[in-house]
Amino acid sequence: MTLTPLRLRKAVLPVAGLGTRVLPGTKTTPKELLNVVDRPILSYIVEEAREAGIEHIVFVTGRSKGAIEDYFDHQVELEAQLEAKGKTELLDQLLAELPQAGEMSFTRQMQPKGLGHAVWCARDIIGREPFAVMLPDVIVDGRPGALKQLVQAYEETGGNVIGVEAVPDSETHKYGIVDPISRNGRRVSMKGMVEKPAQGTSPSNLSISGRYILQPEIFDLLATQERGAGNEIQLTDAMARLMGEQAFTAIEYEGVTHDCGDKIGLLRANVALALKRPDLGAAAREAIAALL
Ligand code: G1P
């Protein structure tokens, strides 16, 4: 008898990072609120979460990230002005992004101890149920979105599911990398994973790209997880331990991944997503062509 996996309802978005790779733009603006075309990176991530059926988002924030909480609340004066000026389309767009009361929680990672520690900070709010982790640096342009593709696999496999993407061999040292055994279409079974392998030692070129579905037992392992790569508590290290006890599947999802935490990645996301927009694509193409 196969048990239906518990439904995925909650997602953790770790947004405490300082965004040093895109300074000075992130000196006073959280990097997650930098614009891609005309809306913040975070707006794309929240949209992807909702499409995948996520009902509650837990933001793990840090000092000077208060603007994120404000972004997902009413901006009363602005809304009144848009209403008075008859700009209803814009107003509707703003209102559509707002959560219903109680659908978002905010907790703080008070010290920068790494991604594993950030996820652990959400343990009480998540409780004992499966949850997603979505790295907000990463916009995935996919149909359906990357998390939904992971959910579709999870509904069949249960356990833990992570999104992976092939990267050039010269880049593997920047990521968590999986050690694959075999592949069935886009599903990859694994025997291990390693965070930021030294150049020349990577077990493959499949990087863990920032979308995860995890079982709550990961919290128990994170509680005792020792520091790893970069002297930080790494989620990858705790997942590698959990792999000894529970099923893990990697999904090479369909879509284009944009690392918006990086100057060129952010620029590329802006160009790529502007070109695809029905209302802006033609004008963007013309403007870019004129520059080249
Ligand atoms: C984090 C994760 C890493 C993952 C990467 C994706 O690293 O630790 O496993 O591959 O995100 O962007 P970071 O980029 O925070 O160093």
Side-chain angles (χ1 to χ4, degrees):
M1 187 182 74
T2 2
L3 290 175
T4 316
L6 271 185
R7 198 161 69 83
L8 184 77
R9 302 188 309 125
K10 296 180 181 175
V12 175
L13 272 58
V15 292
L18 293 176
T20 46
R21 289 184 292 159
V22 281
L23 273 169
T26 46
K27 187 176 167 189
T28 51
T29 304
K31 66 174 169 177
E32 300 78 11
L33 292 185
L34 294 178
N35 255 16
V36 169
V37 189
D38 54 3
R39 59 194 179 111
I41 296 169
L42 213 41
S43 159
Y44 293 86
I45 312 290
V46 169
E47 182 180 62
E48 183 189 328
R50 288 185 174 142
E51 182 207 16
I54 295 297
E55 295 165 1
H56 190 115
I57 294 181
V58 182
F59 291 93
V60 181
T61 73
R63 279 187 292 283
S64 63
K65 295 281 182 158
I68 293 177
E69 206 164 335
D70 292 340
Y71 185 81
F72 290 104
D73 195 358
H74 288 284
Q75 230 283 32
V76 178
E77 284 166 22
L78 175 66
E79 289 168 12
Q81 287 224 14
L82 292 176
E83 172 105 67
K85 290 189 173 152
K87 300 198 170 179
T88 43
E89 212 174 301
L90 207 44
L91 178 60
D92 289 347
Q93 192 190 342
L94 295 187
L95 295 178
E97 273 203 311
L98 294 184
Q100 298 295 311
E103 284 181 351
M104 285 184 175
S105 300
F106 296 82
T107 188
R108 275 198 184 196
Q109 183 187 28
M110 293 154 75
Q111 289 171 300
K113 290 185 176 177
L115 177 61
H117 179 257
V119 170
W120 182 73
C121 291
R123 67 197 178 284
D124 276 353
I125 306 177
I126 297 294
R128 303 307 286 185
E129 59 179 281
F131 64 101
V133 175
M134 305 176 77
L135 300 191
D137 282 358
V138 179
I139 293 181
V140 184
D141 184 18
R143 303 280 174 282
L147 188 62
K148 182 149 189 183
Q149 294 181 45
L150 263 62
V151 169
Q152 286 166 346
Y154 168 74
E155 282 167 353
E156 289 175 33
T157 62
N160 303 268
V161 180
I162 58 173
V164 294
E165 185 197 43
V167 293
D169 289 337
S170 57
E171 305 264 296
T172 49
H173 65 287
K174 296 183 184 168
Y175 298 97
I177 301 287
V178 304
D179 191 352
I181 306 171
S182 62
R183 173 191 286 272
N184 176 5
R186 295 194 163 266
R187 288 189 200 175
V188 179
S189 62
M190 303 166 278
K191 58 176 186 288
M193 52 179 76
V194 54
E195 181 68 18
K196 302 196 174 69
Q199 257 163 336
T201 67
S202 188
S204 76
N205 71 339
L206 284 181
S207 73
I208 301 169
S209 61
R211 298 293 183 270
Y212 313 72
I213 296 174
L214 297 171
Q215 296 299 320
E217 288 73 21
I218 194 79
F219 292 127
D220 308 331
L221 298 174
L222 285 170
T224 58
Q225 186 60 50
E226 292 185 358
R227 288 172 187 262
N231 198 30
E232 292 186 342
I233 297 171
Q234 296 292 353
L235 182 59
T236 304
D237 294 343
M239 291 196 298
R241 287 163 66 206
L242 188 56
M243 208 181 267
E245 299 164 19
Q246 291 186 353
F248 262 86
T249 309
I251 303 294
E252 199 176 359
Y253 53 76
E254 274 179 83
V256 181
T257 308
H258 299 289
D259 179 0
C260 300
D262 169 78
K263 287 184 179 106
I264 295 299
L266 184 60
L267 179 64
R268 182 170 163 269
N270 269 286
V271 172
L273 295 177
L275 287 173
K276 286 185 79 172
R277 280 266 297 261
D279 57 335
L280 295 173
R285 191 172 307 276
E286 220 174 279
I288 294 162
L291 286 172
L292 294 174

